[in-house]
Amino acid sequence: MFHALVLAVLVSAVQEEDTAAPNVDAQKALHTIGDAMVGGVWTEKTPGEVTSEMRCKWLMGKRFFQMSVDVQGKPSSHAIIGVDPDTQKLTWWWFFAGGGVLKSVVVAASDKQWTFITTGAGGEAETRHTLISEDEMKTERLRFVRNGENQSLRPPIVLVRKRD
């Protein structure tokens, strides 16, 4: 009985917290980015075989969206994207097949472009996504530091969406 009471109190506290009004700008960015990315399968626009596929879907009444990435047909990573209740910033929580975890926080967002800072695993990266069209997006790393040292930047990647 005691455990049931404790559980009821915890659930009640979470539900009360869950109704807090989130940051309007972060919510707008969540919906702008989610609406742009959800649906179909995103693949790298590179010659030869497709090496990675990304799928996005809305969760919990569009309060979050999930991004799943497969590399060469095997699950590579999953991200949950939503407004962090502690910081009120739009945040990606990345979980990798090998057990790693990274966190990305949006630092700038518009209808067609968003920039975020990713931290974890001894590094920090600044990345920008730009919608070229409804079904084409460019991803470019602007800065990458690992263990305090600047790293070389990869060339921009263009992703193309194939609709279901």
Side-chain angles (χ1 to χ4, degrees):
M1 181 67 175
F2 176 73
H3 295 290
L5 178 60
V6 170
L7 181 60
V9 169
L10 288 174
V11 168
S12 175
V14 169
Q15 286 175 337
E16 286 177 22
E17 183 179 298
D18 195 42
T19 61
N23 178 308
V24 173
D25 291 338
Q27 280 295 316
K28 181 181 179 199
L30 170 69
H31 288 276
T32 298
I33 295 168
D35 286 343
M37 297 186 70
V38 168
V41 178
W42 292 90
T43 58
E44 290 181 39
K45 184 180 180 180
T46 54
E49 291 184 34
V50 172
T51 58
S52 64
E53 294 184 339
M54 178 178 67
R55 291 171 176 77
C56 299
K57 67 179 181 179
W58 283 109
L59 302 172
M60 300 179 172
K62 288 190 161 185
R63 293 191 74 186
F64 303 92
F65 72 92
Q66 175 182 324
M67 181 183 300
S68 298
V69 180
D70 293 344
V71 176
Q72 297 178 342
K74 297 179 182 174
S76 170
S77 63
H78 292 283
I80 301 295
I81 298 93
V83 177
D84 185 326
D86 292 333
T87 65
Q88 292 296 300
K89 294 184 179 189
L90 182 56
T91 303
W92 267 248
W93 291 272
W94 288 96
F95 304 93
F96 292 87
V101 177
L102 297 176
K103 181 177 179 180
S104 299
V105 177
V106 172
V107 294
S110 69
D111 288 346
K112 303 240 182 239
Q113 190 173 82
W114 51 96
T115 304
F116 51 93
I117 304 290
T118 301
T119 56
E124 180 176 285
E126 183 175 2
T127 307
R128 179 172 49 222
H129 291 294
T130 304
L131 284 176
I132 298 167
S133 70
E134 190 174 284
D135 294 320
E136 199 168 18
M137 175 175 51
K138 179 172 71 170
T139 298
E140 55 191 321
R141 188 172 281 161
L142 306 174
R143 182 176 54 85
F144 181 36
V145 177
R146 178 171 280 154
N147 298 321
E149 294 190 23
N150 287 326
Q151 304 294 306
S152 60
L153 300 177
R154 66 177 186 225
I157 297 169
V158 175
L159 302 171
V160 177
R161 176 177 20 209
K162 180 180 176 188
R163 299 222 177 228
D164 299 325

